[in-house]
Amino acid sequence: SSAGGWSDIAMFASLNQFLDPHLPEQLNTVTWSLTTEAHFYLVLPLFAIVGARYGWGRLLTLLLVATVGWRLVAGGTGDQAEWILGRADQFVAGMVAFTLVERHRSGTLTRLGRWLTGRRAGWILGSTLAAVALTHGVLRLVPKPLLFLSLLHAVTGVAVAGLVVRGLCT
């Protein structure tokens, strides 16, 4: 019945309750990801238009830079880092992976598609993921540089997308 109560209801309805430390996150702790997902579906048409018009590689590069920049500004791992700009690169990496797989199935291999299905790509992508995991694990208990935290999601998302393409196209 109070304005604060209505504000809390609005936070839950918009799936943003994780932003308010006074709200019980434990109600459903995974709903933070639904906020990012809902935002992604709102900007998906824009991503599709830009990707089709200017190229998926350019869009992915732009979003990698935007994501790392956003994470640097947001502090690397704070709640604001989880908003759409903190995760857009991973969504677009998945869209690029889908596009590469579809082109492979239709017999149209791009230079990136050929590289991902080549011998070295699996080793490079796998080693990249192992290096990120090892470094992250070793540094688990010590403060990490903000740039490392900002690059962690971007590098992991691109490497996983590359391995998915490799797995589906070889």
Side-chain angles (χ1 to χ4, degrees):
S1 65
S2 69
W6 284 106
S7 172
D8 292 349
I9 290 171
M11 292 291 270
F12 277 106
S14 65
L15 306 172
N16 283 309
Q17 73 276 6
F18 68 95
L19 295 174
D20 187 342
H22 300 97
L23 290 176
E25 282 186 11
Q26 289 72 25
L27 181 70
N28 191 351
T29 56
V30 299
T31 57
W32 70 266
S33 65
L34 293 176
T35 306
T36 304
E37 186 177 347
H39 292 166
F40 172 72
Y41 290 131
L42 291 173
V43 297
L44 177 62
L46 176 64
F47 286 167
I49 290 168
V50 172
R53 183 170 192 149
Y54 298 105
W56 290 104
R58 287 183 180 156
L59 178 61
L60 181 57
T61 302
L62 174 70
L63 286 173
L64 284 170
V65 170
T67 297
V68 171
W70 176 261
R71 286 185 165 275
L72 285 170
V73 169
T77 59
D79 291 333
Q80 290 79 13
E82 303 303 333
W83 291 1
I84 186 63
L85 275 178
R87 296 284 185 181
D89 62 323
Q90 293 177 342
F91 283 111
V92 174
M95 294 167 70
V96 170
F98 172 79
T99 302
L100 290 171
V101 169
E102 285 303 306
R103 286 184 179 171
H104 180 269
R105 289 182 178 162
S106 70
T108 311
L109 277 180
T110 63
R111 186 171 27 167
L112 179 58
R114 282 191 300 275
W115 183 82
L116 287 171
T117 56
R119 287 184 180 201
R120 291 186 211 163
W123 286 105
I124 291 171
L125 294 170
S127 298
T128 299
L129 282 178
V132 167
L134 181 64
T135 306
H136 190 51
V138 168
L139 296 176
R140 185 177 181 310
L141 299 177
V142 299
K144 295 173 204 58
L146 185 57
L147 183 60
F148 172 79
L149 291 172
S150 300
L151 290 172
L152 179 68
H153 288 280
V155 170
T156 303
V158 170
V160 168
L163 286 172
V164 167
V165 171
R166 181 174 175 74
L168 293 173
C169 296
T170 53

mmCIF file of all heavy atoms in Angstrom, residues 32-64:
data_model
loop_
_atom_site.group_PDB
_atom_site.id
_atom_site.type_symbol
_atom_site.label_atom_id
_atom_site.label_comp_id
_atom_site.label_asym_id
_atom_site.label_seq_id
_atom_site.Cartn_x
_atom_site.Cartn_y
_atom_site.Cartn_z
ATOM 1 N N TRP A 32 18.099 -12.806 -12.384
ATOM 2 C CA TRP A 32 18.943 -11.739 -12.934
ATOM 3 C C TRP A 32 19.196 -11.971 -14.412
ATOM 4 O O TRP A 32 19.265 -11.032 -15.195
ATOM 5 C CB TRP A 32 20.267 -11.633 -12.187
ATOM 6 C CG TRP A 32 21.182 -12.790 -12.453
ATOM 7 C CD1 TRP A 32 21.297 -13.928 -11.718
ATOM 8 C CD2 TRP A 32 22.068 -12.941 -13.553
ATOM 9 N NE1 TRP A 32 22.203 -14.773 -12.297
ATOM 10 C CE2 TRP A 32 22.695 -14.197 -13.435
ATOM 11 C CE3 TRP A 32 22.402 -12.146 -14.646
ATOM 12 C CZ2 TRP A 32 23.633 -14.672 -14.336
ATOM 13 C CZ3 TRP A 32 23.332 -12.624 -15.555
ATOM 14 C CH2 TRP A 32 23.941 -13.865 -15.386
ATOM 15 N N SER A 33 19.315 -13.212 -14.827
ATOM 16 C CA SER A 33 19.607 -13.502 -16.229
ATOM 17 C C SER A 33 18.411 -13.217 -17.128
ATOM 18 O O SER A 33 18.571 -12.943 -18.318
ATOM 19 C CB SER A 33 20.058 -14.950 -16.399
ATOM 20 O OG SER A 33 19.003 -15.837 -16.083
ATOM 21 N N LEU A 34 17.217 -13.259 -16.575
ATOM 22 C CA LEU A 34 16.025 -12.971 -17.373
ATOM 23 C C LEU A 34 15.981 -11.506 -17.790
ATOM 24 O O LEU A 34 15.479 -11.179 -18.864
ATOM 25 C CB LEU A 34 14.758 -13.338 -16.596
ATOM 26 C CG LEU A 34 14.577 -14.829 -16.334
ATOM 27 C CD1 LEU A 34 13.337 -15.064 -15.484
ATOM 28 C CD2 LEU A 34 14.513 -15.616 -17.620
ATOM 29 N N THR A 35 16.523 -10.630 -16.963
ATOM 30 C CA THR A 35 16.580 -9.216 -17.327
ATOM 31 C C THR A 35 17.413 -9.040 -18.586
ATOM 32 O O THR A 35 16.992 -8.392 -19.542
ATOM 33 C CB THR A 35 17.192 -8.397 -16.180
ATOM 34 O OG1 THR A 35 16.454 -8.662 -14.996
ATOM 35 C CG2 THR A 35 17.171 -6.927 -16.479
ATOM 36 N N THR A 36 18.602 -9.628 -18.596
ATOM 37 C CA THR A 36 19.480 -9.546 -19.759
ATOM 38 C C THR A 36 18.810 -10.170 -20.972
ATOM 39 O O THR A 36 18.866 -9.631 -22.077
ATOM 40 C CB THR A 36 20.813 -10.244 -19.460
ATOM 41 O OG1 THR A 36 21.381 -9.647 -18.299
ATOM 42 C CG2 THR A 36 21.771 -10.122 -20.616
ATOM 43 N N GLU A 37 18.181 -11.306 -20.777
ATOM 44 C CA GLU A 37 17.509 -11.991 -21.888
ATOM 45 C C GLU A 37 16.367 -11.148 -22.452
ATOM 46 O O GLU A 37 16.240 -11.003 -23.675
ATOM 47 C CB GLU A 37 16.973 -13.337 -21.401
ATOM 48 C CG GLU A 37 16.395 -14.190 -22.483
ATOM 49 C CD GLU A 37 15.937 -15.538 -21.955
ATOM 50 O OE1 GLU A 37 16.276 -15.913 -20.816
ATOM 51 O OE2 GLU A 37 15.210 -16.212 -22.692
ATOM 52 N N ALA A 38 15.560 -10.568 -21.589
ATOM 53 C CA ALA A 38 14.452 -9.727 -22.063
ATOM 54 C C ALA A 38 14.974 -8.515 -22.820
ATOM 55 O O ALA A 38 14.454 -8.156 -23.874
ATOM 56 C CB ALA A 38 13.578 -9.296 -20.884
ATOM 57 N N HIS A 39 16.024 -7.884 -22.297
ATOM 58 C CA HIS A 39 16.619 -6.741 -22.993
ATOM 59 C C HIS A 39 17.163 -7.169 -24.350
ATOM 60 O O HIS A 39 17.031 -6.450 -25.334
ATOM 61 C CB HIS A 39 17.737 -6.120 -22.168
ATOM 62 C CG HIS A 39 17.254 -5.459 -20.918
ATOM 63 N ND1 HIS A 39 18.105 -5.099 -19.909
ATOM 64 C CD2 HIS A 39 16.019 -5.105 -20.508
ATOM 65 C CE1 HIS A 39 17.420 -4.536 -18.933
ATOM 66 N NE2 HIS A 39 16.149 -4.535 -19.280
ATOM 67 N N PHE A 40 17.788 -8.345 -24.405
ATOM 68 C CA PHE A 40 18.330 -8.833 -25.670
ATOM 69 C C PHE A 40 17.223 -8.991 -26.710
ATOM 70 O O PHE A 40 17.385 -8.599 -27.861
ATOM 71 C CB PHE A 40 19.053 -10.160 -25.479
ATOM 72 C CG PHE A 40 19.469 -10.790 -26.783
ATOM 73 C CD1 PHE A 40 20.509 -10.250 -27.516
ATOM 74 C CD2 PHE A 40 18.804 -11.896 -27.270
ATOM 75 C CE1 PHE A 40 20.886 -10.811 -28.727
ATOM 76 C CE2 PHE A 40 19.177 -12.460 -28.477
ATOM 77 C CZ PHE A 40 20.220 -11.918 -29.201
ATOM 78 N N TYR A 41 16.092 -9.566 -26.306
ATOM 79 C CA TYR A 41 15.008 -9.758 -27.267
ATOM 80 C C TYR A 41 14.438 -8.428 -27.747
ATOM 81 O O TYR A 41 13.936 -8.335 -28.864
ATOM 82 C CB TYR A 41 13.912 -10.645 -26.689
ATOM 83 C CG TYR A 41 14.368 -12.075 -26.545
ATOM 84 C CD1 TYR A 41 14.193 -12.776 -25.363
ATOM 85 C CD2 TYR A 41 15.015 -12.724 -27.597
ATOM 86 C CE1 TYR A 41 14.627 -14.080 -25.235
ATOM 87 C CE2 TYR A 41 15.459 -14.026 -27.468
ATOM 88 C CZ TYR A 41 15.255 -14.700 -26.284
ATOM 89 O OH TYR A 41 15.696 -15.986 -26.172
ATOM 90 N N LEU A 42 14.543 -7.393 -26.929
ATOM 91 C CA LEU A 42 14.098 -6.073 -27.357
ATOM 92 C C LEU A 42 15.043 -5.465 -28.390
ATOM 93 O O LEU A 42 14.607 -4.775 -29.304
ATOM 94 C CB LEU A 42 13.964 -5.129 -26.160
ATOM 95 C CG LEU A 42 12.821 -5.457 -25.198
ATOM 96 C CD1 LEU A 42 12.894 -4.548 -23.967
ATOM 97 C CD2 LEU A 42 11.475 -5.321 -25.879
ATOM 98 N N VAL A 43 16.355 -5.722 -28.250
ATOM 99 C CA VAL A 43 17.313 -5.154 -29.202
ATOM 100 C C VAL A 43 17.687 -6.122 -30.322
ATOM 101 O O VAL A 43 18.401 -5.750 -31.244
ATOM 102 C CB VAL A 43 18.597 -4.645 -28.503
ATOM 103 C CG1 VAL A 43 18.292 -3.516 -27.555
ATOM 104 C CG2 VAL A 43 19.346 -5.762 -27.835
ATOM 105 N N LEU A 44 17.171 -7.356 -30.272
ATOM 106 C CA LEU A 44 17.473 -8.349 -31.300
ATOM 107 C C LEU A 44 17.177 -7.851 -32.710
ATOM 108 O O LEU A 44 18.020 -8.021 -33.605
ATOM 109 C CB LEU A 44 16.718 -9.652 -31.024
ATOM 110 C CG LEU A 44 16.874 -10.759 -32.062
ATOM 111 C CD1 LEU A 44 18.324 -11.203 -32.169
ATOM 112 C CD2 LEU A 44 15.984 -11.937 -31.707
ATOM 113 N N PRO A 45 16.029 -7.216 -32.963
ATOM 114 C CA PRO A 45 15.800 -6.723 -34.327
ATOM 115 C C PRO A 45 16.865 -5.722 -34.775
ATOM 116 O O PRO A 45 17.297 -5.754 -35.933
ATOM 117 C CB PRO A 45 14.423 -6.052 -34.245
ATOM 118 C CG PRO A 45 13.758 -6.704 -33.080
ATOM 119 C CD PRO A 45 14.853 -7.010 -32.108
ATOM 120 N N LEU A 46 17.308 -4.866 -33.876
ATOM 121 C CA LEU A 46 18.362 -3.911 -34.212
ATOM 122 C C LEU A 46 19.660 -4.641 -34.541
ATOM 123 O O LEU A 46 20.331 -4.331 -35.529
ATOM 124 C CB LEU A 46 18.577 -2.922 -33.067
ATOM 125 C CG LEU A 46 19.705 -1.920 -33.241
ATOM 126 C CD1 LEU A 46 19.421 -0.982 -34.410
ATOM 127 C CD2 LEU A 46 19.911 -1.132 -31.968
ATOM 128 N N PHE A 47 20.024 -5.635 -33.728
ATOM 129 C CA PHE A 47 21.225 -6.421 -33.997
ATOM 130 C C PHE A 47 21.119 -7.113 -35.351
ATOM 131 O O PHE A 47 22.088 -7.161 -36.108
ATOM 132 C CB PHE A 47 21.450 -7.474 -32.916
ATOM 133 C CG PHE A 47 21.943 -6.936 -31.600
ATOM 134 C CD1 PHE A 47 21.932 -7.735 -30.484
ATOM 135 C CD2 PHE A 47 22.421 -5.643 -31.469
ATOM 136 C CE1 PHE A 47 22.392 -7.275 -29.264
ATOM 137 C CE2 PHE A 47 22.878 -5.160 -30.255
ATOM 138 C CZ PHE A 47 22.859 -5.987 -29.151
ATOM 139 N N ALA A 48 19.966 -7.674 -35.659
ATOM 140 C CA ALA A 48 19.779 -8.377 -36.933
ATOM 141 C C ALA A 48 19.926 -7.424 -38.116
ATOM 142 O O ALA A 48 20.558 -7.762 -39.121
ATOM 143 C CB ALA A 48 18.418 -9.059 -36.959
ATOM 144 N N ILE A 49 19.371 -6.243 -38.005
ATOM 145 C CA ILE A 49 19.462 -5.258 -39.087
ATOM 146 C C ILE A 49 20.916 -4.819 -39.286
ATOM 147 O O ILE A 49 21.428 -4.805 -40.407
ATOM 148 C CB ILE A 49 18.552 -4.042 -38.802
ATOM 149 C CG1 ILE A 49 17.084 -4.454 -38.915
ATOM 150 C CG2 ILE A 49 18.872 -2.885 -39.738
ATOM 151 C CD1 ILE A 49 16.115 -3.415 -38.366
ATOM 152 N N VAL A 50 21.593 -4.476 -38.178
ATOM 153 C CA VAL A 50 22.983 -4.022 -38.270
ATOM 154 C C VAL A 50 23.883 -5.156 -38.767
ATOM 155 O O VAL A 50 24.741 -4.948 -39.631
ATOM 156 C CB VAL A 50 23.473 -3.470 -36.916
ATOM 157 C CG1 VAL A 50 24.966 -3.181 -36.945
ATOM 158 C CG2 VAL A 50 22.688 -2.223 -36.540
ATOM 159 N N GLY A 51 23.683 -6.372 -38.260
ATOM 160 C CA GLY A 51 24.496 -7.507 -38.688
ATOM 161 C C GLY A 51 24.314 -7.824 -40.159
ATOM 162 O O GLY A 51 25.281 -8.094 -40.871
ATOM 163 N N ALA A 52 23.077 -7.789 -40.641
ATOM 164 C CA ALA A 52 22.815 -8.080 -42.049
ATOM 165 C C ALA A 52 23.345 -6.971 -42.960
ATOM 166 O O ALA A 52 23.833 -7.242 -44.055
ATOM 167 C CB ALA A 52 21.319 -8.272 -42.262
ATOM 168 N N ARG A 53 23.246 -5.751 -42.494
ATOM 169 C CA ARG A 53 23.641 -4.621 -43.352
ATOM 170 C C ARG A 53 25.152 -4.385 -43.367
ATOM 171 O O ARG A 53 25.741 -4.139 -44.410
ATOM 172 C CB ARG A 53 22.928 -3.363 -42.891
ATOM 173 C CG ARG A 53 23.236 -2.184 -43.778
ATOM 174 C CD ARG A 53 22.356 -1.027 -43.468
ATOM 175 N NE ARG A 53 22.516 -0.050 -44.522
ATOM 176 C CZ ARG A 53 21.586 0.748 -44.915
ATOM 177 N NH1 ARG A 53 20.407 0.687 -44.368
ATOM 178 N NH2 ARG A 53 21.816 1.617 -45.866
ATOM 179 N N TYR A 54 25.777 -4.437 -42.206
ATOM 180 C CA TYR A 54 27.194 -4.081 -42.103
ATOM 181 C C TYR A 54 28.114 -5.280 -41.876
ATOM 182 O O TYR A 54 29.329 -5.122 -41.863
ATOM 183 C CB TYR A 54 27.408 -3.050 -40.995
ATOM 184 C CG TYR A 54 26.671 -1.765 -41.256
ATOM 185 C CD1 TYR A 54 25.512 -1.458 -40.551
ATOM 186 C CD2 TYR A 54 27.115 -0.876 -42.222
ATOM 187 C CE1 TYR A 54 24.820 -0.284 -40.804
ATOM 188 C CE2 TYR A 54 26.434 0.297 -42.484
ATOM 189 C CZ TYR A 54 25.288 0.585 -41.769
ATOM 190 O OH TYR A 54 24.604 1.750 -42.020
ATOM 191 N N GLY A 55 27.550 -6.436 -41.634
ATOM 192 C CA GLY A 55 28.352 -7.637 -41.415
ATOM 193 C C GLY A 55 28.384 -8.035 -39.948
ATOM 194 O O GLY A 55 28.476 -7.184 -39.074
ATOM 195 N N TRP A 56 28.301 -9.332 -39.738
ATOM 196 C CA TRP A 56 28.285 -9.852 -38.374
ATOM 197 C C TRP A 56 29.622 -9.647 -37.686
ATOM 198 O O TRP A 56 29.680 -9.421 -36.477
ATOM 199 C CB TRP A 56 27.901 -11.332 -38.386
ATOM 200 C CG TRP A 56 26.475 -11.526 -38.756
ATOM 201 C CD1 TRP A 56 25.994 -11.951 -39.960
ATOM 202 C CD2 TRP A 56 25.343 -11.264 -37.941
ATOM 203 N NE1 TRP A 56 24.621 -11.976 -39.935
ATOM 204 C CE2 TRP A 56 24.199 -11.561 -38.703
ATOM 205 C CE3 TRP A 56 25.178 -10.810 -36.631
ATOM 206 C CZ2 TRP A 56 22.910 -11.417 -38.206
ATOM 207 C CZ3 TRP A 56 23.894 -10.675 -36.140
ATOM 208 C CH2 TRP A 56 22.785 -10.971 -36.918
ATOM 209 N N GLY A 57 30.698 -9.722 -38.436
ATOM 210 C CA GLY A 57 32.021 -9.508 -37.849
ATOM 211 C C GLY A 57 32.167 -8.102 -37.289
ATOM 212 O O GLY A 57 32.698 -7.908 -36.193
ATOM 213 N N ARG A 58 31.687 -7.119 -38.044
ATOM 214 C CA ARG A 58 31.749 -5.739 -37.556
ATOM 215 C C ARG A 58 30.882 -5.544 -36.324
ATOM 216 O O ARG A 58 31.272 -4.858 -35.375
ATOM 217 C CB ARG A 58 31.316 -4.776 -38.653
ATOM 218 C CG ARG A 58 32.333 -4.625 -39.729
ATOM 219 C CD ARG A 58 31.893 -3.618 -40.747
ATOM 220 N NE ARG A 58 32.901 -3.492 -41.783
ATOM 221 C CZ ARG A 58 32.653 -3.067 -42.991
ATOM 222 N NH1 ARG A 58 31.431 -2.703 -43.333
ATOM 223 N NH2 ARG A 58 33.613 -2.981 -43.878
ATOM 224 N N LEU A 59 29.681 -6.126 -36.362
ATOM 225 C CA LEU A 59 28.784 -6.005 -35.213
ATOM 226 C C LEU A 59 29.405 -6.660 -33.983
ATOM 227 O O LEU A 59 29.390 -6.081 -32.890
ATOM 228 C CB LEU A 59 27.418 -6.624 -35.516
ATOM 229 C CG LEU A 59 26.414 -6.609 -34.366
ATOM 230 C CD1 LEU A 59 26.098 -5.181 -33.937
ATOM 231 C CD2 LEU A 59 25.144 -7.348 -34.761
ATOM 232 N N LEU A 60 29.973 -7.856 -34.151
ATOM 233 C CA LEU A 60 30.588 -8.542 -33.021
ATOM 234 C C LEU A 60 31.770 -7.737 -32.488
ATOM 235 O O LEU A 60 31.923 -7.576 -31.274
ATOM 236 C CB LEU A 60 31.032 -9.951 -33.419
ATOM 237 C CG LEU A 60 31.678 -10.778 -32.305
ATOM 238 C CD1 LEU A 60 30.753 -10.912 -31.104
ATOM 239 C CD2 LEU A 60 32.099 -12.133 -32.820
ATOM 240 N N THR A 61 32.596 -7.204 -33.375
ATOM 241 C CA THR A 61 33.729 -6.385 -32.939
ATOM 242 C C THR A 61 33.253 -5.164 -32.165
ATOM 243 O O THR A 61 33.780 -4.849 -31.093
ATOM 244 C CB THR A 61 34.572 -5.951 -34.159
ATOM 245 O OG1 THR A 61 35.009 -7.117 -34.853
ATOM 246 C CG2 THR A 61 35.761 -5.122 -33.733
ATOM 247 N N LEU A 62 32.259 -4.477 -32.699
ATOM 248 C CA LEU A 62 31.701 -3.303 -32.023
ATOM 249 C C LEU A 62 31.169 -3.673 -30.644
ATOM 250 O O LEU A 62 31.422 -2.971 -29.660
ATOM 251 C CB LEU A 62 30.587 -2.690 -32.874
ATOM 252 C CG LEU A 62 29.803 -1.552 -32.238
ATOM 253 C CD1 LEU A 62 30.684 -0.317 -32.125
ATOM 254 C CD2 LEU A 62 28.560 -1.248 -33.046
ATOM 255 N N LEU A 63 30.442 -4.777 -30.561
ATOM 256 C CA LEU A 63 29.870 -5.167 -29.274
ATOM 257 C C LEU A 63 30.920 -5.696 -28.303
ATOM 258 O O LEU A 63 30.764 -5.547 -27.088
ATOM 259 C CB LEU A 63 28.740 -6.174 -29.472
ATOM 260 C CG LEU A 63 27.474 -5.523 -30.018
ATOM 261 C CD1 LEU A 63 26.432 -6.569 -30.370
ATOM 262 C CD2 LEU A 63 26.896 -4.524 -29.028
ATOM 263 N N LEU A 64 31.984 -6.307 -28.814
ATOM 264 C CA LEU A 64 33.077 -6.703 -27.918
ATOM 265 C C LEU A 64 33.696 -5.477 -27.266
ATOM 266 O O LEU A 64 33.919 -5.445 -26.056
ATOM 267 C CB LEU A 64 34.140 -7.487 -28.687
ATOM 268 C CG LEU A 64 33.798 -8.930 -29.023
ATOM 269 C CD1 LEU A 64 34.825 -9.505 -29.985
ATOM 270 C CD2 LEU A 64 33.711 -9.773 -27.770
#
